[in-house]
């Protein structure tokens, strides 16, 4: 990786306020010249986590967590180094030097984000062209505002619609494969993974499309829900569907309601409950529990009363109980 110069990092940190960065995620209390809070990196009752506005670093006397605004974002928001730098730069209104963004791995990831964004746009155009898909959304009461809010689209019923539209050369085809948008059969033939499905883009914490969930229109078809596979951008055990939209809808989330599927999230938003999220074809993981509590102090699980819903409820309890503490 091309390295960012130390001078750039120093300048970036000088123009960022660690109290503001930490304080927007952890409830800080002023204590003399410093600020303190219960440590977000270990369980404790008496605060031993301090943020120093003069030294611009944080330190925990309990677990030894220590660092700058950059390491805080990396550890708390779980960002990669360069993403943390970009987040700070964006807040400070500084441009990250271009050459650092030109290394191969980085530009490949950027291309993957762009490919998924293009796929989302394609699905939205196909929704506009499909009365059947629009009828389905109408029947579920999803209005234009929420279709736009969630970027809902439609994958046409064909084996190479997306492949033909976006995989126009060998490099783009390979790119689509890496994003999980194509499947390959035993004979090596590559085709669209999502066909004749209502498409729900899954956004990351910065609002970028990182994967899709597709729901069948035809009740008889299976599987009812199909998600993107795990990719470099998408780790289903760490993402929550709807979290980006919930964070956009509220300045501060008082609570989060975890439901079973994308349509449940969209339906709740449609009825004015804009704090709903869903796990993505997986039980609630420890990472999910952390992510939920980082975003809201109160978390509710609301699953179907059938056997699957009860199992999901139990798994949620198992993930959440070990992380309970005062205020959660
Ligand atoms: Zn600590």
């Amino acid at each position: 990786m091309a390295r960012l110069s130390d001078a750039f990092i120093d300048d970036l940190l000088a123009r960022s306020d660690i109290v503001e960065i930490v304080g927007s995620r952890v409830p800080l209390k002023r204590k003399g010249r410093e600020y303190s809070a219960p440590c977000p990196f270990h369980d404790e009752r008496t605060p031993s986590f301090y943020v120093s506005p003069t030294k611009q670093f944080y330190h925990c006397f309990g677990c030894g967590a220590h660092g700058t605004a950059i390491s805080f974002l990396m550890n708390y928001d779980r960002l990669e180094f360069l993403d943390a730098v970009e987040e700070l730069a964006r807040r400070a209104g500084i441009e990250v030097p271009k050459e650092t963004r030109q290394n191969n791995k980085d530009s490949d990831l950027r291309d993957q984000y762009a490919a998924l964004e293009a796929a989302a746009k394609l699905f939205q155009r196909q929704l506009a062209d499909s009365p059947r898909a629009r009828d389905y959304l109408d029947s579920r009461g999803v209005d234009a505002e929420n279709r736009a809010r969630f970027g809902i689209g439609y994958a046409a019923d064909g084996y190479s619609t997306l492949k033909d539209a976006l995989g126009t050369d060998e490099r783009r085809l390979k790119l689509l494969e890496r994003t999980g948008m194509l499947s390959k059969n035993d004979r090596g033939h590559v085709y669209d993974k999502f066909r004749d499905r209502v498409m729900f883009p899954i956004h990351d914490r910065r609002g970028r499309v990182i994967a899709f969930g597709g729901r069948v229109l035809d009740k008889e078809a299976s599987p009812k829900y199909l998600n993107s596979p795990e990719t470099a951008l998408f780790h289903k055990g760490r993402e929550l569907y709807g979290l980006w939209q919930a964070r956009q809808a509220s300045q501060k989330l008082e609570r989060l309601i975890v439901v079973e599927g994308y349509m449940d999230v969209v339906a709740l938003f449609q009825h004015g409950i804009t704090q709903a999220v869903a796990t993505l074809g997986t039980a609630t993981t420890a990472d999910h529990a952390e992510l939920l509590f980082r975003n809201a102090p109160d978390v509710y699980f609301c699953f179907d009363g059938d056997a699957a819903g009860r199992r999901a409820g139990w798994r949620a309890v198992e993930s959440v109980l070990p992380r309970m503490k005062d205020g959660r």
Side-chain angles (χ1 to χ4, degrees):
M1 172 172 42
R3 275 181 41 83
L4 289 163
S5 72
D6 290 345
F8 174 79
I9 297 292
D10 289 347
D11 182 46
L12 180 65
L13 288 173
R15 293 211 235 168
S16 305
D17 180 8
I18 192 169
V19 174
E20 185 198 323
I21 306 284
V22 176
S24 64
R25 291 162 174 83
V26 176
L28 290 176
K29 280 213 184 80
R30 182 152 205 138
K31 244 187 193 173
R33 278 186 299 163
E34 299 181 326
Y35 292 81
S36 82
C39 178
F41 302 116
H42 84 279
D43 279 333
E44 65 175 358
R45 278 192 213 141
T46 22
S48 45
F49 176 83
Y50 287 84
V51 178
S52 164
T54 47
K55 298 176 191 148
Q56 285 292 310
F57 67 58
Y58 64 90
H59 182 79
C60 174
F61 291 96
C63 69
H66 179 95
T68 61
I70 294 176
S71 40
F72 184 82
L73 285 178
M74 290 174 69
N75 288 305
Y76 193 85
D77 284 8
R78 301 199 176 179
L79 300 180
E80 297 292 325
F81 174 74
L82 275 177
D83 286 333
V85 166
E86 288 213 327
E87 173 70 20
L88 284 183
R90 195 182 53 74
R91 293 179 74 119
I94 307 174
E95 189 104 8
V96 178
K98 275 278 186 302
E99 59 278 12
T100 60
R101 305 258 66 178
Q102 279 167 359
N103 66 80
N104 292 336
K105 179 171 170 259
D106 235 44
S107 74
D108 180 60
L109 290 182
R110 219 175 21 197
D111 288 348
Q112 289 191 36
Y113 286 118
L116 289 167
E117 189 61 45
K121 290 275 177 331
L122 176 71
F123 293 145
Q124 284 162 31
R125 287 197 298 277
Q126 289 176 348
L127 176 64
D129 292 341
S130 168
R132 211 170 122 256
R134 279 184 281 121
D135 282 351
Y136 168 77
L137 291 172
D138 287 343
S139 76
R140 301 298 298 261
V142 182
D143 68 9
E145 184 191 337
N146 280 296
R147 288 178 202 191
R149 189 206 296 262
F150 288 95
I152 299 172
Y154 170 66
D157 191 8
Y159 279 86
S160 62
T161 312
L162 176 112
K163 186 183 155 191
D164 291 346
L166 303 178
T168 46
D169 60 34
E170 199 53 33
R171 190 190 70 83
R172 290 198 177 97
L173 266 180
K174 289 274 176 269
L175 187 63
L176 286 176
E177 279 187 50
R178 287 201 292 286
T179 59
M181 298 306 290
L182 299 176
S183 295
K184 199 184 253 182
N185 69 11
D186 295 344
R187 282 168 297 161
H189 181 71
V190 170
Y191 56 95
D192 289 0
K193 179 179 180 69
F194 297 99
R195 303 177 304 279
D196 192 25
R197 285 173 183 270
V198 173
M199 298 299 291
F200 299 83
I202 296 158
H203 297 89
D204 68 5
R205 275 153 257 173
R206 295 169 63 187
R208 299 174 297 195
V209 178
I210 52 171
F212 288 92
R215 190 198 188 282
V216 290
L217 289 176
D218 183 351
K219 277 204 188 88
E220 307 304 306
S222 79
K224 190 167 159 198
Y225 290 100
L226 184 66
N227 289 326
S228 295
E230 300 265 314
T231 65
L233 304 185
F234 178 52
H235 306 283
K236 64 182 179 183
R238 287 193 227 147
E239 303 294 337
L240 290 165
Y241 180 74
L243 183 58
W244 163 253
Q245 285 81 3
R247 281 174 54 159
Q248 293 300 107
S250 305
Q251 277 279 326
K252 183 167 165 30
L253 287 165
E254 309 264 292
R255 70 188 65 83
L256 279 169
I257 302 163
V258 186
V259 291
E260 282 189 31
Y262 335 108
M263 268 315 295
D264 301 323
V265 172
V266 174
L268 285 170
F269 269 75
Q270 183 67 51
H271 288 88
I273 299 165
T274 58
Q275 306 103 27
V277 297
T279 59
L280 294 148
T282 169
T284 310
T285 63
D287 281 339
H288 284 139
E290 286 296 334
L291 185 57
L292 286 161
F293 282 129
R294 248 181 242 163
N295 281 281
D298 286 335
V299 177
Y300 296 76
F301 291 90
C302 189
F303 298 146
D304 292 347
D306 58 11
R310 286 173 191 211
R311 269 197 305 277
W314 187 250
R315 291 292 301 274
V317 166
E318 288 180 327
S319 299
V320 166
L321 280 186
R323 287 164 189 83
M324 299 298 279
K325 57 186 182 190
D326 277 359
R328 285 184 174 183

